[in-house]
């Protein structure tokens, strides 16, 4: 299987929703995952730096990664000017290198945007997510009862 990455478009929202819905269900999360939410919160987010999808040669989307810049409208307690990243990969396609492809694209976008740090806030019980970000070079800088916040230092890249 050949995986390529590109900027997500409105046409990808349905497939992205098909990825996010079962992930959120597995977390027992009631966060929205419909295509309209995907469009607003990931593809067309006002603070977006880049929303990348990973697809195969047939156009099937296997994962997506959102990189936004923290502003006053940010979803987490992250300092303004940092990047905030979120990664979602089909549950049946984890550990296939898709996340590595996605992060390479986001890392380049972060560099072009002049980011110095990227935050990934992951649920305490999301062992796959915690391992993924650690493998990409993120390190824990803060924890709460429900989450672990990891930082990626661009200068160290």
């Amino acid at each position: 299987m050949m995986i390529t990455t590109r900027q997500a478009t409105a046409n990808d929202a349905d497939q992205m929703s098909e990825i996010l819905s079962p992930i959120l269900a597995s977390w027992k999360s009631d966060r929205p995952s419909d295509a309209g939410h995907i469009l607003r919160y990931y593809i067309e987010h006002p603070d977006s730096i880049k929303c990348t999808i990973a697809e195969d040669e047939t156009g099937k989307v296997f994962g997506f990664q959102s990189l936004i810049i923290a502003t006053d409208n940010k979803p987490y307690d992250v300092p303004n000017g940092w990047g905030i990243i979120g990664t979602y990969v089909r549950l049946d396609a984890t550990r296939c290198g898709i996340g590595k492809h996605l992060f390479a694209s986001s890392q380049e976008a972060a560099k072009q945007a002049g980011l110095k740090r990227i935050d990934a806030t992951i649920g305490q019980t999301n062992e796959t997510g915690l391992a993924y970000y650690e493998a990409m070079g993120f390190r824990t800088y803060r924890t709460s009862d429900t989450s672990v916040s990891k930082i990626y230092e661009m200068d160290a890249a």
Side-chain angles (χ1 to χ4, degrees), residues 20 24 27-34 37 41-42 76 88:
L20 186 57
L24 294 180
W27 296 347
K28 298 178 180 26
S29 172
D30 60 357
R31 285 178 24 204
S33 60
D34 60 279
H37 175 77
Y41 193 78
Y42 295 103
Y76 304 105
Y88 305 95

Side-chain angles (χ1 to χ4, degrees), residues 49-100:
I49 293 171
K50 187 168 189 184
C51 184
T52 305
I53 63 155
E55 65 184 355
D56 70 6
E57 58 278 356
T58 70
K60 180 178 180 178
V61 177
F62 282 86
F64 67 96
Q65 189 166 73
S66 168
L67 178 64
I68 65 171
I69 190 161
T71 65
D72 291 338
N73 302 322
K74 63 188 167 258
Y76 304 105
D77 185 24
V78 175
N80 284 357
W82 286 28
I84 300 173
I85 200 166
T87 308
Y88 305 95
V89 173
R90 286 188 184 276
L91 292 175
D92 61 355
T94 59
R95 304 204 47 84
C96 295
I98 291 162
K100 189 180 234 178

Side-chain angles (χ1 to χ4, degrees), residues 7 9 21 28 52 72 76 92 110 116 126 134-136:
Q7 176 75 39
T9 69
S21 294
K28 298 178 180 26
T52 305
D72 291 338
Y76 304 105
D92 61 355
K116 301 287 184 223
N126 182 352
E134 196 71 22
M136 294 300 106

Side-chain angles (χ1 to χ4, degrees), residues 95-117:
R95 304 204 47 84
C96 295
I98 291 162
K100 189 180 234 178
H101 285 286
L102 290 167
F103 188 59
S105 179
S106 293
Q107 197 175 23
E108 183 58 34
K111 188 185 303 180
Q112 290 176 4
L115 294 182
K116 301 287 184 223
R117 294 173 185 86

Side-chain angles (χ1 to χ4, degrees), residues 128-143:
T128 304
L130 291 167
Y132 164 72
Y133 284 109
E134 196 71 22
M136 294 300 106
F138 285 73
R139 299 296 173 247
T140 300
Y141 75 95
R142 179 177 65 192
T143 60

